[in-house]
Amino acid sequence: MFTTKQKSPTPRQPVAIIGAGVAGLAAAVRLAVAGHPVTVFEAAASFGGKMHEFSLGGPAGAYRFDAGPSLFTLPQLVDDIFRLAHREPTDYFRYERLDPITQYFFADGTRLTAWADAPRFAAEVEAKLGVPAPEVEQFLTRSGRAYDATAGTFLHKSLHRPGTYLRAETLKAVAALPSLGLASTMHARHQKAFGQDARLVQLFDRYATYNGSDPYQAPATLSLIPHLEHGIGAFYPEGGIYAIASSLHRLAEEFGVKFRFNEPVREIIAAGGHITAVRTDHDVYDFGLVVSNMDVVPTYRRLLPSHPAPERTLAQPRSSSALIFYWGITREFAELDVHNIFFSQDYKAEFDAIFQQKTLADDVTVYVNITSKKTPADAPPGHENWFVMVNVPHDQGQDWAALTQRTRRAVLARLHRALGVDVEPLIAAEKVWTPPQIAADTSSLGGALYGSASNNALAAFWRHPNFSGRLDGLYFCGGSVHPGGGIPLCLLSAKIVAELIG
């Protein structure tokens, strides 16, 4: 830790934060470091939101699981928070770069290892899929250039403040947009680059799921996402993803942040266009600054029912959700790693089912995350903890009991075909998280994991801003607002909010 004594920041206006998800925690630390007295109101018994952990008991012992997010990129965004607080990040939080990143299992039986090193990954693609390595490296280079040209503006800054567009960096990024593929789709770009092999097209199409979107609709600009893994890296935090939330909570408490767990906010009170207080079942608390880490739709519908809502923004199509099976498995699989993807045969049919028909295809892509590969204590000796996820539509009243049973059978069949092992007899412990349960547990509309989808060229501009244009003192962070969902973007939303308030 740094030993230099820090000056106490000048006292500033108290802030209420609604929700102790990762964005709420990050915002709490940033604002507390800036001198604001911060109180976090959380409906659940603890912090983390979707980023919480739990354990399942089995005959041989307990299996620990990260409930929600499983992929960690851009770790410097976490380190930056500790450095802002004049703390040494490694005193609180450690991580390692993954290599390989993912094991891919295609429907035709092909297996491919996604190595962290781009040239090595390209060589693997050439050896397994027959696509020339230079073509793969060239695509990844373009992905990196697209990220470098746009991230500083479209991810790190508010897109809804006029001042953002007066910066030279912003003008340069906007000028680059036409060449980055706003008029085309991710799938079209990948088809053009790798049309000679449908498997590689499918591999790159899957990056649309990183923000809950459809590669057949999402703009080609999102083809920059692979750069996060192959250009910057994918990482594993010591102790699992929950360690991110746990370390931020610890730091927040050190800076005097107060946490009121099991105390959901029932109303945000305003008068004369200004925020004045929040109401819970326990009391009415005076606050002139409120940051909502809740999904933006229930924030308006439940907490601000008497105030006009931005209906056009709230009506944007929702992102996908997830159906997650948590399985304690009674053996180890040497061919699997931390991240594993088992692709369906017909990706187009799968996304059409999710976004057009609002259901699930009969053949689904399966993602398996196994943290016991890195943290052996997450499962009994000789066992593994499988986080098994399928992308699904957000809840709109579907028969989830029937869909869950049907999908469970499809998942087991897909794993059996790929691994040559009947997995079902190996399941010693099991829990399921469905979209309605995700919605109830995390106050996210329909269980949509990323708020609105990015299925059109202007989705980034239509996403709700990090502030209210009608109520002074009201701000928003988290996956349902700018810049979007996933751990890195949620952390950036907290940074933007802290800068706006500051």
Side-chain angles (χ1 to χ4, degrees), residues 2 14 74 130 170 192 257 263 342 348 366 454 475 495:
F2 292 103
L74 298 179
T170 302
K192 182 178 180 181
V257 175
E263 189 170 351
F342 300 82
K348 180 70 163 62
V366 181
S454 296
Y475 298 85
K495 176 175 179 283

Side-chain angles (χ1 to χ4, degrees), residues 17 30 47 52 69 119 151 175 213 230 239 256 299 302 321 327 344 378 419 444 458 461 488:
I17 296 179
R30 286 181 173 277
F47 56 85
H52 67 276
S213 301
H230 292 284
T299 296
R302 299 180 199 170
S321 184
W327 290 342
S344 65
D378 283 355
L419 300 173
S444 56
L458 298 177
F461 299 93

Side-chain angles (χ1 to χ4, degrees), residues 60-381:
Y63 303 85
R64 191 205 73 88
F65 296 90
D66 288 309
S70 57
L71 177 68
F72 182 41
T73 58
L74 298 179
Q76 64 269 27
L77 296 179
V78 179
D79 291 342
D80 286 347
I81 297 172
F82 289 100
R83 294 192 177 102
L84 178 72
H86 300 284
R87 299 291 193 268
E88 178 56 48
T90 55
D91 288 342
Y92 295 76
F93 178 64
R94 296 173 184 267
Y95 52 85
E96 63 176 288
R97 188 177 187 186
L98 292 176
D99 192 17
I101 299 170
T102 305
Q103 296 291 347
Y104 289 103
F105 298 77
F106 293 94
D108 68 354
T110 303
R111 297 186 182 185
L112 184 144
T113 299
W115 300 102
D117 178 68
R120 189 179 182 189
F121 171 59
E124 173 86 356
V125 170
E126 182 172 317
K128 298 293 182 62
L129 306 183
V131 178
E135 294 182 13
V136 178
E137 290 192 66
Q138 184 181 40
F139 180 87
L140 293 175
T141 297
R142 288 200 303 267
S143 175
R145 288 174 180 164
Y147 178 85
D148 292 340
T150 59
T153 293
F154 294 102
L155 300 183
H156 289 257
K157 299 295 181 182
S158 171
L159 294 182
H160 305 87
R161 290 290 199 193
T164 299
Y165 296 91
L166 300 178
R167 301 166 63 244
E169 182 184 11
T170 302
L171 296 175
K172 182 179 178 181
V174 171
L177 283 178
S179 65
L180 298 178
L182 277 179
S184 184
T185 67
M186 289 183 73
H187 176 74
R189 168 159 288 185
H190 301 152
Q191 182 69 25
K192 182 178 180 181
F194 306 118
Q196 69 269 43
D197 193 279
R199 294 164 298 183
L200 191 56
V201 174
Q202 187 176 33
L203 188 156
F204 282 105
D205 277 356
R206 87 169 184 90
Y207 285 100
T209 66
Y210 280 38
N211 61 12
S213 301
D214 175 0
Y216 298 88
Q217 299 182 66
T221 47
L222 296 184
S223 293
L224 58 79
I225 296 174
H227 177 69
L228 297 179
E229 292 185 5
H230 292 284
I232 301 173
F235 300 82
Y236 178 79
E238 286 186 9
I241 293 291
Y242 179 71
I244 301 172
S246 180
S247 64
L248 290 175
H249 173 256
R250 174 187 165 193
L251 182 61
E253 287 197 317
E254 289 180 7
F255 274 81
V257 175
K258 297 178 181 178
F259 288 87
R260 302 188 69 90
F261 295 116
N262 295 308
E263 189 170 351
V265 171
R266 302 300 186 188
E267 182 183 7
I268 299 172
I269 301 172
H274 298 272
I275 297 298
T276 60
V278 297
R279 179 180 63 81
T280 74
D281 293 337
H282 296 278
D283 206 346
V284 174
Y285 302 88
D286 293 334
F287 284 98
L289 293 173
V290 172
V291 179
S292 178
N293 185 207
M294 277 179 69
D295 186 304
V296 68
V297 176
T299 296
Y300 281 101
R301 302 293 188 229
R302 299 180 199 170
L303 307 187
L304 292 159
S306 61
H307 294 271
E311 298 298 342
R312 181 179 177 183
T313 299
L314 301 191
Q316 293 303 307
R318 306 297 288 177
S319 78
S320 59
S321 184
L323 178 58
I324 307 174
F325 302 92
Y326 307 93
W327 290 342
I329 300 294
T330 60
R331 59 159 280 192
E332 294 177 312
F333 286 77
E335 63 268 51
L336 300 182
D337 215 300
V338 176
H339 302 294
N340 311 274
I341 299 285
F342 300 82
F343 280 120
S344 65
Q345 180 68 47
D346 190 341
Y347 223 24
K348 180 70 163 62
E350 191 175 351
F351 283 100
D352 283 349
I354 294 172
F355 288 97
Q356 309 300 330
Q357 301 153 24
K358 312 300 182 185
T359 187
L360 281 81
D362 293 330
D363 181 22
V364 294
T365 295
V366 181
Y367 165 69
V368 179
N369 174 247
I370 310 173
T371 62
S372 59
K373 295 289 186 181
K374 291 294 182 183
T375 307
D378 283 355

